[in-house]
Coordinates of all heavy atoms in Angstrom, one line a residue:
Q1 N -8.5 27.5 104.1 CA -7.7 27.9 105.2 C -8.1 29.4 105.6 O -7.7 29.8 106.7 CB -6.2 27.9 104.8 CG -5.7 26.5 104.5 CD -5.8 25.5 105.7 OE1 -5.8 26.0 106.8 NE2 -6.0 24.3 105.4
F2 N -8.7 30.1 104.7 CA -9.0 31.5 105.0 C -10.2 31.6 106.0 O -10.2 32.4 106.8 CB -9.4 32.2 103.7 CG -9.8 33.6 103.9 CD1 -8.9 34.5 104.2 CD2 -11.1 34.0 103.7 CE1 -9.2 35.9 104.4 CE2 -11.5 35.3 103.9 CZ -10.6 36.2 104.2
A3 N -11.2 30.7 105.8 CA -12.4 30.8 106.6 C -12.1 30.7 108.1 O -12.6 31.5 108.9 CB -13.5 29.8 106.2
P4 N -11.3 29.7 108.6 CA -11.1 29.6 110.0 C -10.3 30.8 110.6 O -10.5 31.3 111.7 CB -10.2 28.3 110.2 CG -10.6 27.5 109.0 CD -10.8 28.5 107.9
T5 N -9.4 31.3 109.7 CA -8.6 32.5 110.1 C -9.5 33.7 110.3 O -9.4 34.5 111.2 CB -7.5 32.8 109.1 OG1 -6.7 31.6 109.0 CG2 -6.6 33.9 109.6
L6 N -10.4 33.9 109.3 CA -11.4 34.9 109.4 C -12.3 34.8 110.6 O -12.7 35.8 111.3 CB -12.2 35.0 108.1 CG -13.2 36.1 108.0 CD1 -12.5 37.5 107.9 CD2 -14.1 36.0 106.7
A7 N -12.7 33.6 110.9 CA -13.6 33.3 112.1 C -12.8 33.7 113.4 O -13.5 34.2 114.3 CB -14.0 31.9 112.1
M8 N -11.5 33.5 113.4 CA -10.8 33.8 114.6 C -10.8 35.3 114.9 O -10.8 35.8 116.0 CB -9.3 33.3 114.5 CG -9.2 31.8 114.7 SD -7.5 31.2 114.5 CE -6.5 32.4 115.2
V9 N -10.8 36.1 113.8 CA -10.9 37.6 113.9 C -12.2 38.0 114.6 O -12.2 38.9 115.4 CB -10.8 38.2 112.5 CG1 -11.1 39.7 112.6 CG2 -9.4 38.0 111.9
F10 N -13.3 37.2 114.4 CA -14.6 37.5 115.0 C -14.8 36.8 116.3 O -15.9 36.8 116.8 CB -15.7 37.2 114.0 CG -15.7 38.1 112.8 CD1 -15.3 37.6 111.6 CD2 -16.0 39.4 112.9 CE1 -15.3 38.4 110.5 CE2 -16.0 40.2 111.8 CZ -15.7 39.8 110.6
G11 N -13.8 36.2 116.9 CA -13.9 35.6 118.2 C -14.2 34.1 118.3 O -14.4 33.6 119.4
V12 N -14.3 33.4 117.1 CA -14.6 32.0 117.2 C -13.3 31.2 117.5 O -12.2 31.5 116.9 CB -15.1 31.5 115.8 CG1 -15.3 30.0 115.8 CG2 -16.4 32.2 115.4
P13 N -13.3 30.4 118.5 CA -12.0 29.7 118.9 C -11.6 28.7 117.8 O -12.4 28.2 117.1 CB -12.4 29.0 120.2 CG -13.8 28.8 120.1 CD -14.4 30.0 119.4
E14 N -10.3 28.3 117.9 CA -9.8 27.3 117.0 C -10.4 25.9 117.4 O -10.4 25.6 118.5 CB -8.3 27.2 117.0 CG -7.6 28.4 116.5 CD -6.1 28.3 116.6 OE1 -5.6 27.6 117.5 OE2 -5.4 29.0 115.8
A15 N -10.8 25.2 116.4 CA -11.3 23.8 116.6 C -10.2 22.8 116.9 O -10.4 21.9 117.7 CB -12.2 23.4 115.5
L16 N -9.1 23.0 116.2 CA -7.9 22.1 116.4 C -6.7 22.9 116.6 O -6.5 24.0 116.1 CB -7.7 21.3 115.1 CG -8.9 20.4 114.6 CD1 -8.6 19.8 113.3 CD2 -9.1 19.3 115.6
T17 N -5.8 22.3 117.4 CA -4.4 22.9 117.6 C -3.6 22.6 116.4 O -3.9 21.8 115.5 CB -3.8 22.3 118.8 OG1 -3.5 20.9 118.6 CG2 -4.6 22.5 120.1
I18 N -2.5 23.3 116.3 CA -1.5 23.1 115.2 C -1.0 21.7 115.2 O -0.9 21.0 114.1 CB -0.4 24.1 115.3 CG1 -0.9 25.5 115.1 CG2 0.7 23.8 114.3 CD1 0.1 26.6 115.5
A19 N -0.7 21.1 116.3 CA -0.3 19.7 116.4 C -1.3 18.7 115.8 O -1.0 17.8 115.1 CB 0.1 19.3 117.8
Q20 N -2.6 19.0 116.2 CA -3.7 18.1 115.7 C -3.8 18.2 114.2 O -4.0 17.2 113.5 CB -5.0 18.5 116.4 CG -5.0 18.1 117.8 CD -6.2 18.7 118.5 OE1 -6.7 19.8 118.2 NE2 -6.8 17.9 119.5
V21 N -3.7 19.4 113.6 CA -3.8 19.5 112.2 C -2.7 18.8 111.5 O -2.8 18.1 110.5 CB -3.8 21.0 111.8 CG1 -3.7 21.2 110.3 CG2 -5.1 21.7 112.3
L22 N -1.4 18.9 112.0 CA -0.3 18.2 111.5 C -0.5 16.7 111.5 O -0.1 16.0 110.6 CB 1.0 18.7 112.1 CG 1.5 20.1 111.8 CD1 2.7 20.4 112.6 CD2 1.9 20.1 110.3
L23 N -1.0 16.2 112.7 CA -1.2 14.8 112.8 C -2.2 14.3 111.8 O -2.1 13.2 111.2 CB -1.6 14.4 114.2 CG -0.5 14.5 115.3 CD1 -1.1 14.3 116.7 CD2 0.5 13.4 115.0
I24 N -3.3 15.0 111.6 CA -4.3 14.6 110.6 C -3.7 14.6 109.2 O -3.9 13.7 108.4 CB -5.5 15.5 110.7 CG1 -6.3 15.3 112.0 CG2 -6.4 15.3 109.5 CD1 -7.3 16.3 112.3
D25 N -2.9 15.7 108.9 CA -2.3 15.7 107.5 C -1.3 14.6 107.3 O -1.4 13.9 106.3 CB -1.6 17.1 107.4 CG -2.5 18.2 107.2 OD1 -3.7 18.0 106.9 OD2 -2.1 19.4 107.3
I26 N -0.5 14.4 108.3 CA 0.5 13.3 108.1 C -0.2 11.9 108.1 O 0.1 11.0 107.3 CB 1.6 13.4 109.2 CG1 2.4 14.6 109.0 CG2 2.5 12.1 109.2 CD1 3.3 15.0 110.2
G27 N -1.2 11.7 109.0 CA -1.9 10.5 109.1 C -2.6 10.1 107.8 O -2.7 8.9 107.5
T28 N -3.2 11.1 107.2 CA -4.0 10.8 105.9 C -3.0 10.7 104.7 O -3.3 9.9 103.8 CB -5.0 11.9 105.7 OG1 -4.4 13.2 105.6 CG2 -6.1 11.8 106.8
D29 N -1.9 11.4 104.7 CA -1.0 11.4 103.6 C -0.2 10.1 103.5 O 0.1 9.6 102.5 CB 0.0 12.5 103.6 CG -0.7 13.8 103.2 OD1 -1.8 13.8 102.7 OD2 -0.1 14.9 103.5
I30 N 0.0 9.5 104.7 CA 0.8 8.3 104.7 C 0.1 7.1 104.0 O 0.8 6.3 103.4 CB 1.3 8.0 106.2 CG1 2.5 7.2 106.2 CG2 0.2 7.2 106.9 CD1 3.3 7.2 107.5
W31 N -1.2 7.0 104.2 CA -1.9 5.9 103.5 C -1.9 6.0 102.0 O -1.8 5.1 101.3 CB -3.3 5.8 104.1 CG -3.3 5.6 105.5 CD1 -3.7 6.4 106.5 CD2 -2.9 4.4 106.2 NE1 -3.5 5.8 107.7 CE2 -3.0 4.6 107.6 CE3 -2.3 3.2 105.7 CZ2 -2.7 3.6 108.5 CZ3 -2.0 2.2 106.7 CH2 -2.1 2.4 108.0
T32 N -1.9 7.3 101.5 CA -1.8 7.5 100.1 C -0.4 7.1 99.6 O -0.3 6.4 98.5 CB -2.1 9.0 99.7 OG1 -3.3 9.3 100.3 CG2 -2.1 9.2 98.3
A33 N 0.6 7.4 100.3 CA 1.9 7.1 99.9 C 2.1 5.5 99.9 O 2.8 5.0 99.0 CB 2.9 7.7 100.9
I34 N 1.6 4.9 100.9 CA 1.7 3.4 100.9 C 0.9 2.8 99.8 O 1.4 1.8 99.1 CB 1.1 2.9 102.3 CG1 2.1 3.3 103.4 CG2 0.9 1.4 102.2 CD1 1.5 3.0 104.8
A35 N -0.2 3.3 99.4 CA -1.0 2.8 98.3 C -0.2 3.0 97.0 O -0.1 2.1 96.1 CB -2.3 3.5 98.2
Y36 N 0.5 4.1 96.8 CA 1.3 4.4 95.6 C 2.5 3.4 95.6 O 2.9 3.0 94.5 CB 1.8 5.8 95.5 CG 0.7 6.8 95.0 CD1 0.5 8.0 95.6 CD2 -0.1 6.4 93.9 CE1 -0.5 8.9 95.2 CE2 -1.1 7.3 93.5 CZ -1.2 8.5 94.1 OH -2.2 9.4 93.6
A37 N 3.1 3.1 96.7 CA 4.2 2.3 96.8 C 3.9 0.8 96.4 O 4.7 0.2 95.7 CB 4.8 2.3 98.2
F38 N 2.7 0.4 96.6 CA 2.3 -1.0 96.3 C 1.6 -1.1 95.0 O 1.2 -2.2 94.5 CB 1.5 -1.6 97.4 CG 2.3 -2.0 98.6 CD1 2.3 -1.2 99.7 CD2 3.1 -3.1 98.6 CE1 3.0 -1.5 100.8 CE2 3.9 -3.4 99.7 CZ 3.8 -2.6 100.8
Q39 N 1.4 0.1 94.3 CA 0.7 0.0 93.0 C 1.7 -0.6 92.0 O 2.9 -0.2 91.9 CB 0.4 1.5 92.6 CG -0.4 1.6 91.3 CD -0.8 3.0 91.0 OE1 -0.5 3.9 91.8 NE2 -1.4 3.2 89.9
P40 N 1.2 -1.4 91.1 CA 2.1 -2.0 90.1 C 2.6 -1.0 89.1 O 1.9 0.0 88.8 CB 1.2 -3.1 89.4 CG -0.2 -2.8 89.8 CD -0.2 -2.0 91.0
A41 N 3.8 -1.1 88.7 CA 4.4 -0.2 87.8 C 3.9 -0.3 86.4 O 3.5 -1.4 86.0 CB 5.9 -0.4 87.7
E42 N 3.8 0.8 85.7 CA 3.4 0.8 84.3 C 4.6 0.6 83.4 O 5.5 1.4 83.5 CB 2.7 2.1 83.9 CG 1.4 2.4 84.7 CD 0.8 3.7 84.3 OE1 0.9 4.1 83.1 OE2 0.2 4.4 85.2
S43 N 4.6 -0.5 82.7 CA 5.8 -0.9 82.0 C 6.1 0.0 80.8 O 7.3 0.2 80.6 CB 5.6 -2.3 81.4 OG 4.5 -2.4 80.5
R44 N 5.2 0.6 80.1 CA 5.5 1.5 79.0 C 5.3 3.0 79.3 O 5.2 3.8 78.4 CB 4.6 1.1 77.8 CG 4.6 -0.4 77.4 CD 5.8 -0.8 76.6 NE 5.8 0.0 75.4 CZ 6.9 0.3 74.7 NH1 8.0 -0.2 75.0 NH2 6.8 1.0 73.6
L45 N 5.4 3.3 80.5 CA 5.1 4.7 80.9 C 6.2 5.7 80.3 O 5.8 6.7 79.7 CB 5.1 4.8 82.4 CG 4.9 6.2 83.0 CD1 3.5 6.7 82.6 CD2 5.1 6.3 84.5
M46 N 7.4 5.3 80.4 CA 8.4 6.2 79.8 C 8.6 6.2 78.3 O 9.2 7.0 77.7 CB 9.8 5.9 80.5 CG 9.8 6.1 82.0 SD 9.4 7.8 82.5 CE 10.8 8.7 81.9
A47 N 7.9 5.2 77.7 CA 8.0 5.1 76.2 C 6.9 6.0 75.6 O 7.0 6.4 74.4 CB 7.7 3.7 75.8
R48 N 5.9 6.5 76.3 CA 4.9 7.4 75.8 C 5.5 8.8 75.6 O 6.4 9.2 76.3 CB 3.8 7.5 76.8 CG 2.8 6.4 76.6 CD 1.5 6.8 77.4 NE 1.6 6.2 78.8 CZ 0.9 6.5 79.8 NH1 -0.1 7.4 79.6 NH2 1.0 6.0 80.9
A49 N 5.0 9.5 74.6 CA 5.4 10.9 74.4 C 4.8 11.7 75.5 O 3.7 11.5 76.0 CB 4.8 11.3 73.0
P50 N 5.5 12.8 75.9 CA 5.0 13.6 77.0 C 3.8 14.4 76.5 O 3.7 14.7 75.3 CB 6.2 14.6 77.3 CG 7.1 14.5 76.1 CD 6.9 13.2 75.4
R51 N 3.0 14.8 77.4 CA 1.8 15.6 77.0 C 2.3 17.0 76.6 O 3.3 17.5 77.0 CB 0.9 15.7 78.2 CG 1.4 16.5 79.4 CD 0.4 16.7 80.5 NE 1.0 17.4 81.6 CZ 1.1 18.8 81.6 NH1 0.6 19.5 80.6 NH2 1.7 19.4 82.6
H52 N 1.4 17.6 75.7 CA 1.7 19.0 75.3 C 1.2 19.9 76.4 O 0.1 19.9 76.7 CB 1.0 19.3 74.0 CG 1.5 20.5 73.3 ND1 1.1 21.8 73.7 CD2 2.4 20.7 72.3 CE1 1.7 22.7 73.0 NE2 2.5 22.1 72.1
P53 N 2.1 20.8 76.9 CA 1.7 21.6 78.1 C 0.7 22.6 77.8 O 0.0 23.1 78.6 CB 3.0 22.2 78.6 CG 3.9 22.1 77.4 CD 3.5 20.9 76.6
K54 N 0.6 23.0 76.5 CA -0.5 24.0 76.1 C -1.8 23.4 75.8 O -2.8 24.1 75.9 CB 0.0 24.9 74.9 CG 1.3 25.6 75.2 CD 1.1 26.9 75.9 CE 2.4 27.6 76.0 NZ 2.4 28.7 76.9
L55 N -1.8 22.2 75.3 CA -3.0 21.6 74.9 C -3.7 20.7 75.9 O -4.9 20.6 76.0 CB -2.8 20.7 73.6 CG -2.2 21.5 72.4 CD1 -1.9 20.6 71.2 CD2 -3.2 22.6 72.0
V56 N -2.9 19.9 76.7 CA -3.4 19.0 77.6 C -3.1 19.5 79.0 O -1.9 19.4 79.5 CB -2.8 17.6 77.4 CG1 -3.4 16.6 78.5 CG2 -3.1 17.1 76.0
K57 N -4.1 20.0 79.7 CA -3.9 20.6 81.1 C -4.1 19.5 82.1 O -5.0 18.7 82.0 CB -4.8 21.8 81.3 CG -4.6 22.9 80.3 CD -3.4 23.6 80.6 CE -3.3 24.9 79.6 NZ -2.0 25.5 79.7
L58 N -3.3 19.6 83.2 CA -3.6 18.7 84.3 C -4.8 19.1 85.1 O -5.5 18.3 85.7 CB -2.3 18.6 85.2 CG -1.1 17.9 84.6 CD1 0.0 18.0 85.6 CD2 -1.4 16.5 84.3
A59 N -4.9 20.4 85.2 CA -6.0 21.0 86.0 C -6.4 22.3 85.3 O -5.6 23.0 84.7 CB -5.7 21.3 87.4
D60 N -7.7 22.6 85.2 CA -8.2 23.8 84.6 C -9.1 24.6 85.6 O -9.1 24.3 86.8 CB -9.0 23.5 83.3 CG -10.1 22.6 83.6 OD1 -10.4 22.2 84.7 OD2 -10.8 22.2 82.6
W61 N -9.7 25.7 85.1 CA -10.5 26.5 86.0 C -11.7 25.7 86.6 O -12.0 25.9 87.8 CB -11.0 27.7 85.3 CG -10.0 28.8 85.1 CD1 -9.3 29.0 84.0 CD2 -9.5 29.7 86.1 NE1 -8.4 30.0 84.2 CE2 -8.5 30.4 85.5 CE3 -9.8 29.9 87.4 CZ2 -7.8 31.4 86.2 CZ3 -9.1 30.9 88.1 CH2 -8.2 31.6 87.5
G62 N -12.2 24.8 85.9 CA -13.3 24.0 86.4 C -12.9 23.1 87.6 O -13.7 23.0 88.6
V63 N -11.7 22.6 87.6 CA -11.2 21.8 88.7 C -11.0 22.7 89.9 O -11.4 22.4 91.1 CB -9.9 21.1 88.4 CG1 -9.3 20.4 89.6 CG2 -10.2 20.1 87.3
G64 N -10.5 23.9 89.7 CA -10.2 24.8 90.8 C -11.5 25.3 91.4 O -11.7 25.4 92.7
V65 N -12.5 25.7 90.6 CA -13.8 26.1 91.1 C -14.5 25.0 91.9 O -15.1 25.2 93.0 CB -14.7 26.6 90.0 CG1 -16.1 26.9 90.4 CG2 -14.1 27.9 89.4
Y66 N -14.5 23.8 91.3 CA -15.1 22.6 92.0 C -14.4 22.4 93.3 O -15.1 22.1 94.3 CB -15.0 21.4 91.1 CG -15.6 20.2 91.7 CD1 -16.9 20.0 91.7 CD2 -14.7 19.2 92.2 CE1 -17.5 18.8 92.3 CE2 -15.3 18.0 92.8 CZ -16.6 17.9 92.8 OH -17.2 16.7 93.4
S67 N -13.1 22.4 93.4 CA -12.3 22.1 94.6 C -12.5 23.1 95.7 O -12.8 22.8 96.8 CB -10.9 22.0 94.3 OG -10.6 20.9 93.4
Y68 N -12.4 24.4 95.3 CA -12.4 25.4 96.4 C -13.8 26.0 96.6 O -14.1 26.3 97.8 CB -11.4 26.6 96.0 CG -10.0 26.1 96.1 CD1 -9.3 25.8 95.0 CD2 -9.4 26.1 97.3 CE1 -8.0 25.4 95.1 CE2 -8.1 25.7 97.5 CZ -7.4 25.3 96.3 OH -6.1 24.9 96.4
C69 N -14.6 26.2 95.6 CA -15.9 26.8 95.8 C -17.0 25.8 96.1 O -18.0 26.2 96.7 CB -16.2 27.6 94.6 SG -15.1 29.0 94.2
Y70 N -16.9 24.6 95.8 CA -17.9 23.6 96.0 C -17.5 22.7 97.2 O -18.1 22.7 98.3 CB -18.3 22.9 94.8 CG -19.4 21.9 95.0 CD1 -20.7 22.2 95.3 CD2 -19.1 20.5 94.8 CE1 -21.6 21.3 95.5 CE2 -20.1 19.5 95.0 CZ -21.3 19.9 95.4 OH -22.3 19.0 95.6
I71 N -16.6 21.9 96.9 CA -16.2 20.9 97.9 C -15.6 21.5 99.2 O -15.9 21.2 100.3 CB -15.2 19.9 97.3 CG1 -15.8 19.1 96.2 CG2 -14.6 18.9 98.4 CD1 -17.0 18.2 96.7
G72 N -14.7 22.5 99.0 CA -14.1 23.3 100.1 C -15.2 23.9 101.0 O -15.1 23.8 102.2
M73 N -16.2 24.5 100.4 CA -17.2 25.2 101.2 C -18.1 24.1 101.9 O -18.5 24.4 103.0 CB -18.1 26.0 100.3 CG -17.4 27.3 99.8 SD -16.9 28.3 101.1 CE -15.3 28.8 100.6
L74 N -18.4 23.0 101.2 CA -19.1 21.9 101.9 C -18.3 21.4 103.1 O -18.9 21.2 104.2 CB -19.4 20.8 100.9 CG -20.6 21.0 100.0 CD1 -20.7 19.8 99.1 CD2 -21.9 21.1 100.8
Q75 N -17.1 21.1 102.9 CA -16.3 20.7 104.0 C -16.2 21.7 105.2 O -16.3 21.3 106.4 CB -14.8 20.3 103.6 CG -14.7 19.1 102.8 CD -13.3 18.9 102.3 OE1 -12.5 19.7 102.3 NE2 -13.0 17.6 101.9
C76 N -16.0 22.9 104.9 CA -15.9 24.0 105.9 C -17.3 24.0 106.6 O -17.3 24.1 107.9 CB -15.6 25.3 105.2 SG -15.5 26.7 106.3
F77 N -18.4 24.0 105.9 CA -19.7 24.1 106.6 C -19.9 23.0 107.5 O -20.3 23.1 108.7 CB -20.8 24.2 105.5 CG -22.2 24.1 106.1 CD1 -22.7 25.2 106.7 CD2 -22.9 22.9 106.0 CE1 -24.0 25.1 107.3 CE2 -24.2 22.8 106.5 CZ -24.7 23.9 107.2
F78 N -19.7 21.7 107.1 CA -20.0 20.6 107.9 C -19.0 20.4 109.1 O -19.4 20.0 110.1 CB -20.0 19.3 107.1 CG -21.3 19.2 106.3 CD1 -21.4 19.4 104.9 CD2 -22.5 18.9 107.0 CE1 -22.6 19.3 104.2 CE2 -23.7 18.8 106.3 CZ -23.7 19.0 104.9
C79 N -17.8 20.8 108.9 CA -16.8 20.8 110.0 C -17.2 21.8 111.1 O -17.2 21.5 112.3 CB -15.4 21.1 109.5 SG -14.6 19.8 108.6
W80 N -17.6 23.0 110.7 CA -18.1 24.0 111.6 C -19.4 23.6 112.3 O -19.6 23.8 113.4 CB -18.2 25.4 111.0 CG -17.0 26.2 111.0 CD1 -15.8 25.8 111.6 CD2 -16.8 27.4 110.4 NE1 -14.9 26.8 111.4 CE2 -15.4 27.8 110.7 CE3 -17.5 28.3 109.6 CZ2 -14.9 28.9 110.2 CZ3 -17.0 29.4 109.2 CH2 -15.6 29.8 109.5
L81 N -20.3 22.9 111.5 CA -21.5 22.5 112.0 C -21.3 21.5 113.2 O -21.9 21.6 114.2 CB -22.4 21.8 110.9 CG -23.7 21.3 111.3 CD1 -24.7 22.5 111.6 CD2 -24.3 20.4 110.2
M82 N -20.4 20.5 112.9 CA -20.1 19.5 114.0 C -19.4 20.2 115.2 O -19.6 19.8 116.3 CB -19.2 18.4 113.4 CG -19.9 17.6 112.4 SD -21.5 16.9 112.9 CE -21.0 15.9 114.3
F83 N -18.5 21.2 114.9 CA -17.8 21.9 115.9 C -18.8 22.6 116.9 O -18.7 22.5 118.1 CB -16.8 22.9 115.3 CG -16.1 23.7 116.4 CD1 -15.2 23.2 117.2 CD2 -16.4 25.1 116.4 CE1 -14.6 24.0 118.2 CE2 -15.8 25.9 117.4 CZ -14.8 25.3 118.2
F84 N -19.8 23.3 116.3 CA -20.7 24.1 117.1 C -21.8 23.2 117.7 O -22.4 23.6 118.7 CB -21.4 25.2 116.2 CG -20.4 26.3 115.9 CD1 -20.1 26.6 114.6 CD2 -19.8 27.0 116.9 CE1 -19.2 27.6 114.3 CE2 -18.9 28.0 116.6 CZ -18.6 28.3 115.3
L85 N -22.1 22.0 117.1 CA -23.2 21.2 117.7 C -22.7 20.2 118.7 O -23.5 19.6 119.4 CB -23.9 20.5 116.6 CG -24.7 21.4 115.6 CD1 -25.4 20.5 114.6 CD2 -25.7 22.2 116.4
T86 N -21.4 20.0 118.8 CA -20.8 19.0 119.8 C -20.8 19.7 121.1 O -20.2 20.7 121.3 CB -19.4 18.6 119.4 OG1 -19.4 18.0 118.1 CG2 -18.8 17.6 120.3
P87 N -21.4 19.1 122.1 CA -21.5 19.7 123.4 C -20.1 19.8 124.1 O -19.3 18.9 124.0 CB -22.4 18.7 124.2 CG -23.1 17.9 123.2 CD -22.2 17.8 122.0
G88 N -19.9 20.9 124.7 CA -18.6 21.1 125.5 C -17.5 21.6 124.7 O -16.4 21.9 125.3
I89 N -17.6 21.8 123.4 CA -16.5 22.3 122.7 C -16.6 23.8 122.5 O -15.6 24.6 122.7 CB -16.4 21.7 121.3 CG1 -16.0 20.2 121.4 CG2 -15.4 22.4 120.4 CD1 -15.8 19.5 120.1
W90 N -17.7 24.3 122.2 CA -17.9 25.7 122.0 C -18.2 26.5 123.2 O -18.9 26.4 124.0 CB -19.0 25.9 120.9 CG -19.5 27.3 120.7 CD1 -20.7 27.7 120.8 CD2 -18.8 28.4 120.2 NE1 -20.9 29.0 120.5 CE2 -19.6 29.4 120.0 CE3 -17.4 28.6 119.8 CZ2 -19.3 30.7 119.6 CZ3 -17.1 29.8 119.3 CH2 -18.0 30.8 119.2

């Protein structure tokens, strides 16, 4: 989210309006919610012991670096590439 904001400071116009961003977010999240709703329940889920919060992490530094520094930068680059290469937008 920082890169588009920084680009606006240097005069690059917004590629999407706020309404378009919200529609994309809601439109993509709804399919995930439907998939979870139809996923079969795990019968023994509550019988398992809870994970130890200090020993078993849900996410670590590697996940954060991969998500923001690798995948996030790739997405940002290719979105801007398509934005600048599409005739009539820029």
Side-chain angles (χ1 to χ4, degrees):
Q1 298 299 331
F2 178 71
T5 305
L6 184 64
M8 285 175 40
V9 171
F10 293 109
V12 177
E14 291 179 336
L16 300 172
T17 65
I18 295 170
Q20 290 171 325
V21 171
L22 286 173
L23 284 171
I24 291 169
D25 287 344
I26 293 168
T28 56
D29 288 345
I30 206 160
W31 298 111
T32 307
I34 290 171
Y36 282 136
F38 286 104
Q39 183 177 0
E42 296 181 33
S43 61
R44 305 282 300 157
L45 181 65
M46 297 303 289
R48 277 192 268 169
R51 66 175 181 83
H52 192 281
K54 301 279 186 194
L55 300 176
V56 181
K57 301 288 184 187
L58 292 177
D60 57 4
W61 283 102
V63 172
V65 169
Y66 178 77
S67 298
Y68 289 101
C69 297
Y70 179 65
I71 296 296
M73 291 297 135
L74 277 175
Q75 286 179 341
C76 182
F77 172 74
F78 283 108
C79 285
W80 272 354
L81 183 72
M82 294 307 297
F83 174 70
F84 288 120
L85 293 180
T86 303
I89 292 181
W90 173 239

